[in-house]
């Protein structure tokens, strides 16, 4: 996926805003990171990657 680094930066910014202004706790962040890490090792990872790619392409065309 060509947009992996900018997408990671955007998602990181969203997590930072949620942590700073919405009361997200440190352990919530840790659970989300672990969930993403283990989800990437499953057989669903290619489908999720493809879905995110399609969504990013559809948003970037508008």
């Amino acid at each position: 996926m060509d947009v992996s680094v900018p997408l990671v930066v955007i998602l990181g910014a969203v997590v930072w805003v949620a942590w700073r202004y919405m009361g997200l706790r440190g352990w919530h962040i840790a659970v989300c990171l672990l969930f993403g890490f283990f989800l990437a090792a499953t057989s669903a990872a290619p489908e999720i990657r493809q879905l995110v790619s399609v969504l990013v392409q559809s948003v970037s065309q508008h």
Side-chain angles (χ1 to χ4, degrees):
M1 187 164 50
D2 296 337
V3 295
S4 61
V5 173
L7 186 59
V8 168
V9 171
I10 291 169
L11 291 174
V14 169
V15 169
W16 181 81
V17 167
W19 174 61
R20 179 80 169 120
Y21 298 107
M22 300 170 85
L24 187 69
R25 302 289 180 229
W27 70 271
H28 295 137
I29 296 170
V31 167
C32 290
L33 286 171
L34 287 172
F35 177 72
F37 178 78
F38 288 116
L39 184 62
T42 66
S43 61
E47 288 82 11
I48 294 170
R49 186 174 292 120
Q50 182 180 12
L51 175 66
V52 170
S53 179
V54 167
L55 291 174
V56 168
Q57 287 176 358
S58 68
V59 168
S60 66
Q61 291 177 355
H62 286 74

